[in-house]
Amino acid sequence: MSAANISRYPVPDINGLPQDIKERVLAVQEKAGFVPNVFLALAHRPDEFRAFFAYHDALLTRESGLSKAEREMIVVATSNDNGCQYCVVAHGAILRIRAKNPLVADQVAVNYRKADITPRQKAMLDFAMKVSNDSKSVCDEDFVTLRHHGFSDEDIWDIAGITAFFGLSNRMANFTSMRPNDEFYAMGREPS
Amino acid sequence: MSAANISRYPVPDINGLPQDIKERVLAVQEKAGFVPNVFLALAHRPDEFRAFFAYHDALLTRESGLSKAEREMIVVATSNDNGCQYCVVAHGAILRIRAKNPLVADQVAVNYRKADITPRQKAMLDFAMKVSNDSKSVCDEDFVTLRHHGFSDEDIWDIAGITAFFGLSNRMANFTSMRPNDEFYAMGREPS
Amino acid sequence: MSAANISRYPVPDINGLPQDIKERVLAVQEKAGFVPNVFLALAHRPDEFRAFFAYHDALLTRESGLSKAEREMIVVATSNDNGCQYCVVAHGAILRIRAKNPLVADQVAVNYRKADITPRQKAMLDFAMKVSNDSKSVCDEDFVTLRHHGFSDEDIWDIAGITAFFGLSNRMANFTSMRPNDEFYAMGREPS
Amino acid sequence: MSAANISRYPVPDINGLPQDIKERVLAVQEKAGFVPNVFLALAHRPDEFRAFFAYHDALLTRESGLSKAEREMIVVATSNDNGCQYCVVAHGAILRIRAKNPLVADQVAVNYRKADITPRQKAMLDFAMKVSNDSKSVCDEDFVTLRHHGFSDEDIWDIAGITAFFGLSNRMANFTSMRPNDEFYAMGREPS
Amino acid sequence: MSAANISRYPVPDINGLPQDIKERVLAVQEKAGFVPNVFLALAHRPDEFRAFFAYHDALLTRESGLSKAEREMIVVATSNDNGCQYCVVAHGAILRIRAKNPLVADQVAVNYRKADITPRQKAMLDFAMKVSNDSKSVCDEDFVTLRHHGFSDEDIWDIAGITAFFGLSNRMANFTSMRPNDEFYAMGREPS
Amino acid sequence: MSAANISRYPVPDINGLPQDIKERVLAVQEKAGFVPNVFLALAHRPDEFRAFFAYHDALLTRESGLSKAEREMIVVATSNDNGCQYCVVAHGAILRIRAKNPLVADQVAVNYRKADITPRQKAMLDFAMKVSNDSKSVCDEDFVTLRHHGFSDEDIWDIAGITAFFGLSNRMANFTSMRPNDEFYAMGREPS
């Protein structure tokens, strides 16, 4: 696949990248076996690349009352709602792997209300959809509902933060026509 | 998986079905290797079952200027827009098989505007989305645009008919909480 | 009025129709005094015609906890919401006759919330609007509410099925620019 | 029918009305043969009543490039879009009479795009819908389109003014649950 | 600023206005120190001008359970929702003055749910938004909620009436591209 | 004003902040004369704070074909559309200062289509609104339109990036109920 498929914008050669970005790209390649296109597409703007992944890591790698699979559920549900092909396909793969469940990503993408997830997780995704589509109406009652499901206020920040960050990511991927790598589609689909 | 998972409504035992329905169910089981849940869920109402599949067959098996893969694209795009898990998962599998393409179903489901399909197919799906969401505004200009892409008036009827029929199917599947069979998720995902 | 007014598509001559369709058309003409245009417009595709009317009959003629007038209320309310002139005008006439009430059809079409109908019927139409516009969110609470108004689960299937079927019908009528017969407008308007 | 049906608010006795209002009510009763409920419901607030009908008369009785029937089309189309039973039923009757056409009011209410009206009248109603639903986006191009159909700038003011005024009327009628008089439903339905 | 900036339509010379309108314009100029453009823009149609301001005065100057500041909150919240620059800027100024609060107008315009206002005032604005955007669904429960906050039925009419009237005003201002006077922007911004 | 007003979440004491964050906060205080609340509210999560401001600086301080005032227009228009009080009030102040224009911020917030800005700037904001509300439909034609107005592809990335980043910011501010500092409201309102 040519670089032209990855993004509307020029995609830099890995060897020409600033050293810190090059190291990050090579590390993910080492781990995943390929370079996810988001790294190449966003490297067009090194400063924004650094901030983007710093934000990403701050939200997705911190200690949290949300499991790693739950965080990916938020990404998948809001990304399908925003029509973001890159994030649904790439994070769908990660969700299948994190949840050790080959079915849950497609279920959550199309209609999380009918997915094989817990009522607590559905409440989490209801709130994510409100933050994504109607954040001006977020109110105290939303916090009461979420606490009722066992979420701490820090967990609630995590839900909102991941939703808001992937809202940015979805808009950037849609705007640049970022293409998901072919490798993602089948990852994690074998029963564990 | 228990029958309770398939639908909110009672799911009849295959052996207790009227003979014509039983034969249809056994035929699909023979061919697919399992019974797609839509056959079991809708068999709760035999008369509606017969009309549903007669309509389905009339639209999907007739000679048409639309290929079988194109017809499945319409199903997948409109079903994701309607949040119908059953139809996206089941017809996503069929689309992968018909198109001999392991990627196209997920692309079309999330955002057909960025899928690896032709401009003609994007125009077809633009029209399907208009029929699905704003049929009252369908107008002569829509026909002009589609003819420009080489669709005959009979092809256009096929696009609208499939969209309208799966709009019915999506609503029935959502209302009954119809569950896609586990088998569908991985079908057709190996490169051909 | 010329045949050209009835539909964007060619309208077959009654005498050239397949025998079973011709018999159905003549039977309705005998009963109503004229041939409703939906029979002529859909006869352009005999297989779809047969499936359409089989589905229609399965839903509208079966024994049900919904009266025949209530079933027509569902058709009229959802058809106006979908902007379907044919179905509002034709089924408005049928509703006036079934309900023996010259006012109720226009009331239900424009705003069923203010119509001279029972709270049970308003709950039925609230659910029909949800199935029509947001079926992905149909949930257990909707069933609880409807059972509270005395609807059985089979009655609820009837509400959803009629809504879904006329969603198909509305899209086909809008897409073909199907014209309501002049005779429908004044039917059932005299006080009973 | 009891006064309680006419409005959520108290409906004054005609004899207790201020003299000018009483005279207007008696004049309309003389002409129509009954008192349209809007006169009784709004008489609850005499100052607002006077301003409402002064505005109404300013728009609907002035010399205009819009015929009286065209002005009623605007009322009927926007009122159905706003779900206002009173205005669709009452002004539907007036439209049938002004247009000497028993069919046009129901056509325009449900879907003016398919009504038996001219392209000029459809452009008029397209603009009315934009003023009603998205006035912030009204722009120079809208004026160009309308002038192309032969509307003068004063005619365009009439379209916008009638749409805006009946937007007020629709909201007041919906809020007060104003009931259309039974007499309106059948008026003007006999072929002229 | 030239007259051309005030409105798409011709703006009459004050001296050429009918005597009653001229007197009203001069009175407001005397009081405010300038002539608000709405007076000049609407004077293009004297009869509509008279009805407009009669309606305005009937709602905004009558005795009411709503304070003058509360009435302006309704204007500001609904006008921003309708994208009406004239009404947000002009009535924002009036709200700051009536409330003796330099911050509240911008808060209410952007998101009244987070403004420094009382729960009663938020309930008032929730209802105003429903009347503005979904009046067909106004129901008994809305009245119960508002009465719970201490609003009388006459107060509720005031909320709905002001919302409906400024819905008309917003549409006329948007349609004519009515320009707010420069003087309004800074009025009432000094701490009281 | 107590810290409780600034955010739903605990607001750290400046002296307890990590050194790099403390220095940034003190620098902005030195320059502005007060600490904008966004710095205090987001300091609750130091890693996210660092990423947020790194992203902010990457977009707003880089060389660009967009002027600094134009970048603030994007912030103000999208933030009002998202109902974000903090961003409209704070960035409205910055826009007035950058543009040396006391009127433009309120105009752009309420309805940029009628603001005293250039056609090029309106095209920029049309695209920002599409990225904000319908990014899945961004297409080649959007780029053609923007290039026609003189925007380079890098400028277009700036428009989309600022829109996407402030979409994140709006959601975080709405979710935390972040309060704009009182100082912002009157800044830049004196004619320059």
Side-chain angles (χ1 to χ4, degrees):
Chain A
M1 185 187 323
S2 75
N5 288 113
I6 293 176
S7 167
R8 288 177 186 278
Y9 283 83
V11 170
D13 184 81
I14 293 177
N15 292 316
L17 291 171
Q19 189 59 24
D20 60 321
I21 294 179
K22 182 176 172 183
E23 282 171 14
R24 172 124 200 188
V25 170
L26 293 176
V28 71
Q29 186 178 34
E30 171 84 16
K31 187 172 168 198
F34 63 95
V35 182
N37 288 337
V38 65
F39 289 89
L40 299 175
L42 294 187
H44 177 61
R45 293 261 181 118
D47 288 345
E48 295 169 40
F49 176 105
R50 291 182 187 102
F52 182 91
F53 285 104
Y55 215 131
H56 174 279
D57 293 352
L59 286 163
L60 296 191
T61 67
R62 76 190 296 275
E63 285 299 302
S64 167
L66 309 184
S67 72
K68 295 216 165 169
E70 286 171 340
R71 289 181 245 189
E72 296 298 327
M73 286 175 196
I74 298 170
V75 181
V76 169
T78 58
S79 297
N80 192 55
D81 192 59
N82 283 327
C84 179
Q85 212 174 79
Y86 186 88
C87 296
V88 172
V89 171
H91 287 271
I94 303 174
L95 171 52
R96 288 190 293 272
I97 291 168
R98 297 278 193 234
K100 301 185 197 308
N101 179 330
L103 310 186
V104 70
D106 293 343
Q107 291 173 351
V108 166
V110 183
N111 193 354
Y112 69 87
R113 297 162 200 82
K114 313 261 177 181
D116 294 331
I117 59 176
T118 64
R120 176 184 180 272
Q121 290 165 339
K122 290 180 188 177
M124 173 185 80
L125 295 174
D126 283 341
F127 183 64
M129 297 307 286
K130 186 169 184 179
V131 170
S132 189
N133 290 318
D134 189 28
S135 69
K136 69 176 176 296
S137 303
V138 169
C139 60
D140 293 349
E141 286 69 25
D142 297 318
F143 282 73
V144 172
T145 300
L146 289 165
R147 286 178 197 130
H148 205 72
H149 282 282
F151 293 104
S152 72
D153 282 9
E154 293 304 314
D155 296 340
I156 299 173
W157 180 300
D158 287 339
I159 302 171
I162 292 168
T163 303
F165 176 75
F166 279 92
L168 177 156
S169 179
N170 294 166
R171 284 167 180 77
M172 290 307 292
N174 273 334
F175 145 71
T176 59
S177 284
M178 199 182 291
R179 183 186 174 84
N181 305 60
D182 293 2
E183 289 86 344
F184 284 124
Y185 291 79
M187 282 171 62
R189 291 198 175 273
E190 51 294 339
S192 60
Chain B
M1 185 185 322
S2 74
N5 289 112
I6 291 177
S7 167
R8 289 176 185 279
Y9 283 81
V11 170
D13 184 80
I14 292 177
N15 292 315
L17 290 171
Q19 189 59 22
D20 60 321
I21 294 179
K22 182 176 172 183
E23 283 172 13
R24 170 124 200 188
V25 169
L26 293 176
V28 71
Q29 185 178 34
E30 171 85 16
K31 186 172 169 199
F34 63 96
V35 182
N37 289 336
V38 65
F39 289 87
L40 299 175
L42 294 187
H44 177 60
R45 292 260 181 119
D47 288 344
E48 296 170 38
F49 176 104
R50 291 182 188 103
F52 182 92
F53 286 104
Y55 217 131
H56 174 277
D57 294 352
L59 286 163
L60 296 190
T61 67
R62 74 190 297 274
E63 284 300 300
S64 167
L66 308 184
S67 72
K68 295 216 165 169
E70 286 171 339
R71 289 181 244 190
E72 295 299 326
M73 287 177 196
I74 298 170
V75 181
V76 169
T78 58
S79 297
N80 191 56
D81 192 59
N82 283 329
C84 178
Q85 213 174 81
Y86 186 89
C87 295
V88 173
V89 171
H91 287 271
I94 303 174
L95 171 52
R96 287 189 294 272
I97 291 168
R98 297 277 193 233
K100 301 185 196 309
N101 179 329
L103 310 185
V104 70
D106 293 342
Q107 292 172 352
V108 166
V110 183
N111 192 354
Y112 69 86
R113 297 162 200 83
K114 315 257 178 183
D116 295 332
I117 59 176
T118 64
R120 175 183 181 273
Q121 290 165 339
K122 290 181 188 177
M124 173 186 81
L125 296 174
D126 283 341
F127 183 65
M129 298 306 287
K130 186 169 185 179
V131 170
S132 189
N133 289 317
D134 189 27
S135 69
K136 70 176 175 295
S137 303
V138 169
C139 59
D140 294 347
E141 285 70 26
D142 297 319
F143 282 72
V144 172
T145 300
L146 289 164
R147 286 177 197 132
H148 205 73
H149 282 281
F151 292 105
S152 71
D153 282 10
E154 291 306 312
D155 296 340
I156 299 173
W157 180 300
D158 287 339
I159 301 171
I162 293 168
T163 302
F165 175 75
F166 279 91
L168 176 157
S169 178
N170 294 165
R171 283 167 179 78
M172 290 307 292
N174 273 334
F175 146 71
T176 58
S177 285
M178 200 183 291
R179 182 186 176 84
N181 304 60
D182 293 4
E183 289 86 343
F184 284 123
Y185 291 79
M187 281 171 63
R189 292 198 175 273
E190 51 294 338
S192 59
Chain C
M1 187 186 322
S2 76
N5 288 115
I6 292 177
S7 166
R8 289 176 184 279
Y9 283 82
V11 170
D13 184 82
I14 292 178
N15 292 316
L17 291 171
Q19 188 60 23
D20 61 321
I21 294 179
K22 182 175 172 183
E23 281 172 14
R24 171 125 198 185
V25 170
L26 293 176
V28 70
Q29 186 177 33
E30 170 85 15
K31 187 173 169 197
F34 62 97
V35 182
N37 289 336
V38 65
F39 289 88
L40 299 176
L42 294 187
H44 177 62
R45 292 258 182 121
D47 288 345
E48 296 169 39
F49 176 104
R50 291 183 187 102
F52 182 92
F53 286 104
Y55 216 131
H56 173 278
D57 293 352
L59 286 162
L60 296 191
T61 66
R62 75 189 296 275
E63 285 299 300
S64 167
L66 309 184
S67 72
K68 295 216 165 169
E70 285 170 340
R71 290 181 244 189
E72 296 298 326
M73 287 176 195
I74 298 170
V75 182
V76 169
T78 59
S79 297
N80 192 53
D81 193 58
N82 283 327
C84 179
Q85 212 173 80
Y86 187 88
C87 295
V88 172
V89 171
H91 287 271
I94 303 175
L95 171 52
R96 287 189 294 272
I97 291 168
R98 297 278 193 234
K100 301 184 197 308
N101 178 331
L103 309 185
V104 70
D106 293 343
Q107 291 173 352
V108 167
V110 183
N111 192 353
Y112 69 87
R113 298 163 199 83
K114 315 260 177 181
D116 294 332
I117 59 177
T118 66
R120 176 183 180 275
Q121 291 166 338
K122 290 180 187 177
M124 173 186 80
L125 295 175
D126 283 342
F127 182 65
M129 298 307 286
K130 186 170 185 179
V131 170
S132 188
N133 289 317
D134 189 28
S135 70
K136 68 177 178 296
S137 302
V138 169
C139 60
D140 293 349
E141 285 71 24
D142 297 319
F143 282 72
V144 172
T145 300
L146 290 164
R147 287 178 196 130
H148 205 74
H149 281 283
F151 292 104
S152 72
D153 283 9
E154 293 305 312
D155 296 340
I156 299 174
W157 180 300
D158 287 338
I159 302 171
I162 293 168
T163 303
F165 175 76
F166 279 92
L168 177 156
S169 179
N170 293 165
R171 284 167 179 78
M172 290 308 293
N174 273 333
F175 145 71
T176 58
S177 285
M178 199 182 290
R179 182 186 176 82
N181 305 58
D182 293 3
E183 288 87 344
F184 284 124
Y185 291 80
M187 280 171 63
R189 291 199 176 273
E190 50 294 338
S192 59
Chain D
M1 184 186 324
S2 76
N5 288 114
I6 292 177
S7 167
R8 290 177 185 278
Y9 283 82
V11 170
D13 185 82
I14 292 177
N15 292 315
L17 290 172
Q19 189 59 23
D20 61 321
I21 294 178
K22 182 175 171 184
E23 283 171 13
R24 170 125 199 186
V25 170
L26 293 176
V28 71
Q29 185 177 34
E30 171 83 16
K31 186 171 168 198
F34 63 96
V35 182
N37 288 336
V38 65
F39 289 88
L40 298 176
L42 294 187
H44 177 61
R45 292 261 182 119
D47 288 344
E48 295 169 39
F49 176 105
R50 291 182 188 105
F52 181 92
F53 286 104
Y55 216 131
H56 174 278
D57 293 352
L59 286 163
L60 295 190
T61 66
R62 75 189 295 276
E63 284 300 302
S64 167
L66 309 184
S67 72
K68 295 215 165 169
E70 286 172 339
R71 290 181 244 189
E72 296 299 325
M73 287 176 197
I74 298 170
V75 181
V76 169
T78 58
S79 297
N80 191 54
D81 192 60
N82 283 327
C84 179
Q85 212 174 81
Y86 186 88
C87 296
V88 173
V89 172
H91 288 271
I94 302 174
L95 171 53
R96 287 189 294 273
I97 292 169
R98 296 278 193 234
K100 300 184 195 310
N101 179 331
L103 310 185
V104 69
D106 293 343
Q107 292 173 350
V108 166
V110 182
N111 192 354
Y112 69 86
R113 297 163 200 82
K114 315 257 178 184
D116 294 331
I117 58 177
T118 65
R120 176 183 181 273
Q121 289 165 340
K122 290 181 188 177
M124 173 186 82
L125 295 174
D126 283 341
F127 183 65
M129 297 308 286
K130 187 169 185 180
V131 169
S132 189
N133 289 316
D134 189 26
S135 69
K136 69 175 177 295
S137 302
V138 170
C139 59
D140 294 348
E141 286 69 26
D142 297 318
F143 282 72
V144 172
T145 300
L146 290 164
R147 286 177 197 133
H148 205 73
H149 281 283
F151 291 104
S152 71
D153 283 9
E154 292 306 313
D155 296 340
I156 299 173
W157 179 301
D158 288 338
I159 301 171
I162 292 168
T163 303
F165 175 75
F166 279 91
L168 177 157
S169 179
N170 293 166
R171 285 167 179 78
M172 290 307 293
N174 273 333
F175 145 72
T176 58
S177 284
M178 199 183 292
R179 182 188 176 82
N181 305 59
D182 293 3
E183 289 86 344
F184 284 124
Y185 291 79
M187 280 171 62
R189 292 197 176 273
E190 52 295 337
S192 59
Chain E
M1 185 185 324
S2 76
N5 287 114
I6 292 177
S7 166
R8 288 177 187 278
Y9 282 82
V11 171
D13 185 81
I14 293 178
N15 291 316
L17 291 171
Q19 189 59 23
D20 61 320
I21 294 179
K22 182 176 172 183
E23 282 172 14
R24 171 125 198 187
V25 170
L26 293 176
V28 70
Q29 185 178 34
E30 170 84 16
K31 187 172 169 198
F34 62 96
V35 182
N37 289 336
V38 64
F39 289 88
L40 299 176
L42 295 187
H44 177 62
R45 292 258 182 121
D47 288 344
E48 296 169 40
F49 175 105
R50 290 182 188 103
F52 182 91
F53 286 103
Y55 215 131
H56 174 280
D57 294 351
L59 286 163
L60 295 191
T61 66
R62 76 190 295 276
E63 284 300 301
S64 168
L66 309 184
S67 72
K68 295 216 164 168
E70 286 171 340
R71 289 181 244 188
E72 297 297 327
M73 287 176 196
I74 298 169
V75 181
V76 168
T78 58
S79 297
N80 191 54
D81 193 58
N82 283 327
C84 179
Q85 213 174 79
Y86 186 88
C87 295
V88 172
V89 171
H91 286 271
I94 303 175
L95 172 52
R96 287 189 294 272
I97 292 167
R98 296 277 192 236
K100 301 186 196 308
N101 179 331
L103 309 185
V104 70
D106 293 343
Q107 292 173 350
V108 166
V110 182
N111 192 353
Y112 69 86
R113 298 163 199 81
K114 314 260 178 182
D116 295 331
I117 59 176
T118 64
R120 176 184 181 274
Q121 290 165 340
K122 290 180 188 178
M124 172 186 82
L125 295 175
D126 283 342
F127 182 66
M129 297 307 286
K130 186 170 185 178
V131 170
S132 188
N133 290 316
D134 189 27
S135 68
K136 70 176 175 295
S137 302
V138 169
C139 60
D140 293 349
E141 286 69 26
D142 297 318
F143 282 73
V144 172
T145 300
L146 289 164
R147 287 178 197 131
H148 205 73
H149 282 282
F151 292 104
S152 72
D153 283 9
E154 293 304 313
D155 296 341
I156 299 174
W157 181 300
D158 287 338
I159 301 171
I162 292 168
T163 302
F165 175 75
F166 279 92
L168 177 157
S169 179
N170 293 167
R171 284 167 179 78
M172 291 307 292
N174 273 333
F175 145 72
T176 57
S177 284
M178 200 183 291
R179 182 186 175 83
N181 305 59
D182 294 3
E183 289 87 344
F184 284 124
Y185 291 79
M187 281 172 62
R189 292 199 175 271
E190 51 294 338
S192 60
Chain F
M1 187 187 323
S2 76
N5 288 114
I6 291 176
S7 167
R8 289 177 185 279
Y9 283 82
V11 170
D13 184 81
I14 293 177
N15 292 316
L17 291 171
Q19 189 59 23
D20 61 319
I21 293 179
K22 182 176 172 182
E23 282 172 13
R24 170 125 199 186
V25 169
L26 293 176
V28 71
Q29 185 177 35
E30 171 83 16
K31 187 173 168 197
F34 62 97
V35 182
N37 288 337
V38 65
F39 289 88
L40 299 175
L42 294 187
H44 177 61
R45 293 261 181 118
D47 288 344
E48 295 168 39
F49 176 104
R50 290 182 188 103
F52 182 92
F53 286 104
Y55 216 131
H56 174 277
D57 293 353
L59 286 163
L60 296 191
T61 66
R62 75 189 297 275
E63 284 300 301
S64 168
L66 308 185
S67 72
K68 295 215 165 169
E70 286 171 339
R71 289 181 244 189
E72 296 299 326
M73 287 176 196
I74 298 170
V75 181
V76 169
T78 59
S79 298
N80 191 55
D81 192 59
N82 283 327
C84 179
Q85 211 175 80
Y86 186 87
C87 296
V88 173
V89 171
H91 287 271
I94 303 175
L95 171 52
R96 287 189 293 271
I97 291 168
R98 297 279 193 232
K100 300 185 196 309
N101 179 331
L103 309 186
V104 70
D106 293 343
Q107 292 173 351
V108 166
V110 183
N111 192 354
Y112 69 87
R113 298 163 199 82
K114 315 259 177 182
D116 294 331
I117 60 177
T118 64
R120 176 183 180 273
Q121 291 165 339
K122 290 181 188 177
M124 173 186 82
L125 296 174
D126 283 340
F127 183 64
M129 298 307 286
K130 186 169 185 179
V131 170
S132 188
N133 289 317
D134 189 27
S135 69
K136 70 176 176 297
S137 303
V138 169
C139 60
D140 294 348
E141 286 69 27
D142 297 318
F143 282 72
V144 172
T145 300
L146 289 165
R147 286 178 197 131
H148 205 73
H149 281 282
F151 292 104
S152 72
D153 283 10
E154 292 306 312
D155 296 340
I156 299 174
W157 181 300
D158 287 339
I159 301 171
I162 293 168
T163 303
F165 175 75
F166 279 92
L168 177 156
S169 178
N170 294 164
R171 285 168 179 76
M172 291 307 293
N174 272 335
F175 146 70
T176 59
S177 284
M178 199 182 292
R179 181 186 175 83
N181 305 59
D182 293 4
E183 289 87 344
F184 284 124
Y185 291 79
M187 280 171 63
R189 292 199 175 272
E190 52 293 339
S192 59

